[in-house]
Amino acid sequence: MAERLEQGDALLIVDLQNDFCPGGSLAVPEGDQVVPVLNRWIEAARETRLPIYASRDWHPENHVSFADRGGPWPPHCVQDTQGAAFHPDLKLPEEAVVISKGTDPDRDQYSALDDTGLGARMRQDGVRRVWAGGLAQDVCVRASVLDAAEEGFEVHLILPATRAVDVNPGDGDRALEEMREAGAVIEQDAEPVQ
Ligand SMILES: [Zn+2]
């Protein structure tokens, strides 16, 4: 369905980084396929001068989420490495607000709104409705959408703009159900009006 973006809208792009795309150290299947979709939303958001927020995992080398410290994940998105860079085809404008998370070696942050100041920043920017996409649907996108809904934003998850890592089969679908139950709208085929 065609969606016209308006004042009060914002785009939230979660962790669209090389390590989460095919070839990366924690690749989400088809993770790179969301890039052209999100580029269309970026274009539409820019035309209407809407805020764009992009979160990134930005871990120190000894991060608690890494397997060698007993965490669930292989090392990924280590600060200042190629793996931590945004996907090279993502047309993130200079004015996009970048939110780094997971920077404390002893603490992980799946959500872009977990103690990052993003919720306050969005309120300050007059945001009411958040269009979200990125990686991974069942991990950091899930956590960010749940937090944004909890903070009172109207959240729309752009389904074609996200993919699940599905460590356990069905994780992606279960995450969608949780987000729906939290009040988020799951947009099956939304496309922005240019
Ligand atoms: Zn991480």
Side-chain angles (χ1 to χ4, degrees):
M1 204 170 67
E3 296 287 347
R4 189 174 298 279
L5 297 178
E6 52 193 46
Q7 294 309 312
D9 282 339
L11 187 59
L12 173 58
I13 301 171
V14 177
D15 300 9
L16 201 27
Q17 294 166 272
N18 288 322
D19 271 344
F20 295 131
C21 290
S25 67
L26 182 39
V28 176
E30 302 183 348
D32 55 338
Q33 292 187 20
V34 309
V35 173
V37 180
L38 280 165
N39 281 340
R40 293 197 290 277
W41 286 87
I42 288 170
E43 183 65 34
R46 292 192 77 185
E47 296 228 330
T48 322
R49 298 176 183 275
L50 299 174
I52 298 170
Y53 309 100
S55 69
R56 62 179 181 183
D57 251 4
W58 198 244
H59 296 316
E61 276 178 358
N62 59 341
H63 192 249
V64 67
S65 76
F66 297 170
D68 53 8
R69 282 198 60 194
W73 307 114
H76 62 276
C77 299
V78 173
Q79 294 169 10
D80 297 312
T81 63
Q82 194 53 35
F86 290 117
H87 190 287
D89 296 336
L90 185 68
K91 295 189 178 123
L92 209 56
E94 263 181 32
E95 66 267 23
V97 177
V98 174
I99 298 106
S100 300
K101 58 188 182 63
T103 58
D104 181 335
D106 298 318
R107 178 169 183 260
D108 207 358
Q109 291 156 290
Y110 283 172
S111 164
L113 286 85
D114 176 8
D115 216 11
T116 61
L118 176 59
R121 172 68 194 257
M122 290 200 293
R123 277 187 288 277
Q124 196 174 59
D125 291 344
V127 175
R128 184 186 66 78
R129 190 166 68 160
V130 178
W131 296 86
L135 302 171
Q137 177 178 315
D138 43 353
V139 188
C140 292
V141 171
R142 170 189 172 277
S144 302
V145 165
L146 291 178
D147 274 358
E150 169 84 27
E151 289 205 30
F153 296 99
E154 180 186 321
V155 190
H156 295 248
L157 175 68
I158 308 162
L159 200 54
T162 188
R163 291 292 188 280
V165 62
D166 275 331
V167 170
N168 302 300
D171 280 354
D173 290 337
R174 278 189 289 276
L176 289 185
E177 199 46 48
E178 285 175 275
M179 291 186 266
R180 200 178 280 124
E181 278 169 16
V185 181
I186 310 301
E187 298 281 0
Q188 303 283 343
D189 56 0
E191 275 289 335
V193 175
Q194 296 286 344

